[in-house]
Amino acid sequence: MNALRPVPRTLLRDRAYEAIRDAIVAGEIEPGAVVRDADLAERLGLSRAPVRQAFARLVDEGLLESKPQSHTRVTPLVAADVRDAAAVVGAMHELVTRAAVPRLRTADTDAMRAANERFAAAVRTGDVDAALRADDALHDVLVHVSGNRAAAATVARYTPLIRRLERRRFGEGGACRSAGLHDRLIAACAAGDTDGAVRVTAEIWRGLEELADIP
C-alpha cells in the first residue's frame, strides 16, 4: 500500500486529508513521527495550502498533534483514546442498526453477505487492508440505509483511530474480527430482528474496546 502518492487536483483539501489519514492509519507515517507540510505537499504533488488544511482537520480528529512554532507530529497510540473512540463508534453503529433493520431490502442483506465473504477470504490470506475494507463495506450498508448523517459523520471521524490499532494488532499476529459474528448480524438483519441485530452489533464493538486493553 502506498497512500502517499500524487493526487488529482480536485477537492485538494479533502484528497490531501484522505491520503495523509490513510498513511497514518496504515503505519506508513508512524506514531510520533514529525510531519512537515512542505515535505508532504511535494510527495502528494500539491501546494502547501491544502496540506495545511488537512493537518488542521487531522489535529481535530486526534491523529496529529501540533505545537505552534514547534512541530506537528503523529499522535501516539493511546489505549484510552482508542477505547473511547470504539465506545462512541459502537454506540453510533447500534443507533444506525436499530434504524436500518426495518428498512433493509434483500439487495442490502445480499451486499452485506458479499462483503462478509470478502472479509473472510481476506482474513484467511492475512490481507489486513482487504479485511478492513470489507468490514467497512458491510457496516456501511446499515449506516447508509439508516439515513442518519450525524451518526455517519461521527463514525467517519473516529473510526481511523480504531483502525490504526487494529492494523497494528493484526500485523503482530493478533486475531481479526470474526466473520461468524458478521454472519449472526446478517441473519438477524435478514430476519428483521432489530433487537438481535443491535445485540450482535454491541458485541462486535465491545470486542474492539477490549482490543485496546491488550498490552
Side-chain angles (χ1 to χ4, degrees):
M1 176 179 176
N2 185 11
L4 289 173
R5 58 186 183 276
V7 297
R9 300 190 66 81
T10 56
L11 300 174
L12 297 183
R13 176 186 61 191
D14 292 340
R15 297 301 294 272
Y17 161 77
E18 291 169 2
I20 299 167
R21 178 202 63 195
D22 291 349
I24 292 170
V25 171
E28 291 180 26
I29 309 176
E30 296 183 349
V34 173
V35 292
R36 297 177 176 84
D37 55 6
D39 294 341
L40 291 183
E42 181 177 358
R43 292 178 67 181
L44 294 169
L46 299 173
S47 69
R48 293 168 71 173
V51 174
R52 287 172 179 165
Q53 292 169 329
F55 277 12
R57 184 172 172 185
L58 290 162
V59 167
D60 184 54
E61 295 182 358
L63 290 174
L64 292 179
E65 56 188 14
S66 181
K67 268 192 174 181
Q69 309 304 319
S70 179
H71 65 257
T72 300
R73 67 176 185 176
V74 178
T75 55
L77 278 167
V78 179
D81 292 344
V82 176
R83 192 185 311 110
D84 289 347
V88 169
V89 172
M92 292 301 99
H93 277 290
E94 290 179 47
L95 178 67
V96 300
T97 297
R98 189 169 294 282
V101 170
R103 306 177 187 178
L104 289 171
R105 302 166 300 171
T106 300
D108 298 319
T109 52
D110 286 347
M112 293 173 72
R113 288 192 185 92
N116 198 32
E117 289 173 3
R118 297 194 301 274
F119 175 84
V123 170
R124 285 194 298 271
T125 60
D127 188 339
V128 176
D129 288 329
L132 294 181
R133 283 196 302 270
D135 185 75
D136 282 338
L138 189 155
H139 292 286
D140 282 351
V141 172
L142 296 170
V143 174
H144 175 73
V145 172
S146 78
N148 189 323
R149 290 188 292 178
T154 303
V155 167
R157 174 172 180 170
Y158 291 106
T159 295
L161 287 171
I162 306 165
R163 291 301 197 215
R164 192 160 58 134
L165 180 62
E166 283 186 282
R167 288 187 57 87
R168 172 159 292 194
R169 294 298 191 217
F170 300 158
E172 294 168 349
C176 197
R177 291 191 226 177
S178 168
L181 275 175
H182 288 160
D183 284 333
R184 287 169 50 201
L185 173 61
I186 295 165
C189 289
D193 180 2
T194 299
D195 289 341
V198 170
R199 283 194 299 272
V200 179
T201 297
E203 185 177 349
I204 289 170
W205 290 94
R206 187 164 57 247
L208 285 176
E209 290 184 59
E210 294 168 356
L211 185 68
D213 294 325
I214 298 173

